[in-house]
Amino acid sequence: MNDFAELRWDGRTVSLPLIEGSAHEKAIDISRLRDQTGLITLDSGYSNTGSCESAITFIDGEKGILRYRGIPIEELAEQSSFVETAYLIIYGKLPTRGEFQHFGDLLTAHELIHEDMKFHFEGFPPNAHPMAMLSSMINSAGCYYPELLAPQESQDFVNETAFILSQVRTIAAFAYRKSRGLPIIYPKPEYSYSANFLHMMFSRPNADIALKPEVVRALDLILLLHADHEQNCSTSTVRMVASSKANLFASVASGVCALWGPLHGGANQAVIEMLEQIHRDGDDGSRFVAAAKDKKSGRRLMGFGHRVYKNYDPRAKIIKRQCDELLAVLNISDPLLDIALRLEQAALNDPYFIERKLYPNVDFYSGIIMRAIGLPLEMFTVIFAIGRMPGWIANYLEVSQKEGGRICRPRQIYVGEPLAPYIPLEQRG
Ligand code: CMC
């Protein structure tokens, strides 16, 4: 293979270096293009732009492959836990027994938020969305621990990482309790990560919830499956903020905001809202599918399609299986699941979706599991945020530890008024 590509225009030729990744994907390095030619590239939505080199997650969207640090998602889903996978994603290797124990101990040590932070929750209106609380409270948490805001002094980041991973779970549960006017439930050191979250969500001050292992496992799996997904909107946001040398708390809090939108993490909430609407309307799904194909309707089949996967999302396969198993164990029959199955079949056989390679994504079935667990709709995207935290942290570290890393600063093609005079106020109509 040539190690450069040639660009010809206007009678000139420039050579651009080719880059090859460890899985043999290829890219043209255009970082010096403007210096050489005065040209920039335009790629709105960045669908064809590699923004970085990263060693964390590999996706082959055509083949439906997802690997964290080289390990297939199917193997991790089968054999690992969220906390172990988080360690893998952040530190690049599976922990030894001792490292795993130490990491778990740190998660426990950091599980309580600063007592004064409870007053911050009081400032939110009763119906504030927990995603709003989550992003601001993560940012606030850093203010209480200034020593964690200067992590470049630390060698391994294990303390900072465990702190954020542990606190995000407590903050999320407290945000929910606050939004429902419920008393706060403190975490218990003897519980696992996911069990503790469910305990803080659903126990009462005078009675602990009886935790079913299948439910704890289902939540843990959802978190694990969301743990990273290379350069998606929120992770790219985290990297962008990190590139300005902002601290870890500010960077991951910005990831929460980016995740909130319905085209990204907010899709899991939007899927259930869509299924509920179809149910309410007595639609068998065909009317909604027809509307989703009509651009003028402004509707999309939520939980379908993906920028990278042009094949079945491997996470959706795992989640669908988990969904069937959990509903059977809990003896739940959910009419929304029946609608989802009908929608999936309708879409998978429809030329519109086939031609555009639109398949169910991770959000299509995760909401049904979260409903079965008893998680309220407004918490769905929060669960996604807790799950994605390891990916955001790992990407933050990759940016902040890269020697000679530069601030992210894309260019633009200006299409506004070329030059306009200032007109004093009294002369304007
Ligand atoms: N329903 C109907 N049509 C769709 C859908 C959909 N869900 N998704 C894409 N299309 C159409 C789109 O209208 C376009 O058609 P045409 O070529 O005729 O203009 C074509 O498919 C390509 O779509 P696109 O908008 O260019 O694709 P994208 O890569 O920019 O967007 C997406 C990806 C995930 C935002 C989009 O598929 C979508 O809006 N899906 C629904 C929301 C969703 O489920 N989001 C969760 C994504 S997975 C988890 C995560 O990353 O957070």
Side-chain angles (χ1 to χ4, degrees), residues 164-182:
I164 291 211
L165 264 185
S166 192
Q167 296 258 310
V168 68
R169 168 192 55 169
T170 309
I171 291 171
F174 281 21
Y176 163 71
R177 306 281 306 185
K178 153 73 188 152
S179 72
R180 295 289 166 104
L182 296 167

Side-chain angles (χ1 to χ4, degrees), residues 62-73:
E62 275 69 35
K63 296 193 183 131
I65 291 174
L66 168 61
R67 297 179 194 139
Y68 297 155
R69 301 286 188 181
I71 304 181
I73 191 68

Side-chain angles (χ1 to χ4, degrees), residues 212 214 324-332:
K212 289 197 170 71
E214 295 87 357
D324 292 341
E325 282 169 20
L326 187 71
L327 265 53
V329 167
L330 299 181
N331 202 12
I332 293 176

Side-chain angles (χ1 to χ4, degrees), residues 229 232 259 262-267 271 292-293 295 299-308 310 313 315 352-353 356 358 361-363 384 388:
H229 214 236
N232 55 83
L259 187 74
L263 295 189
H264 191 12
V271 168
K293 294 192 291 182
K295 301 271 185 290
R299 285 190 179 162
R300 283 192 164 194
L301 191 52
M302 301 311 285
F304 253 73
H306 199 276
R307 171 62 61 82
V308 180
K310 301 301 166 198
D313 179 339
R315 302 166 302 171
Y352 174 96
F353 293 89
R356 290 169 180 76
L358 301 170
N361 58 49
V362 68
D363 293 317
F384 194 152
R388 186 53 55 87

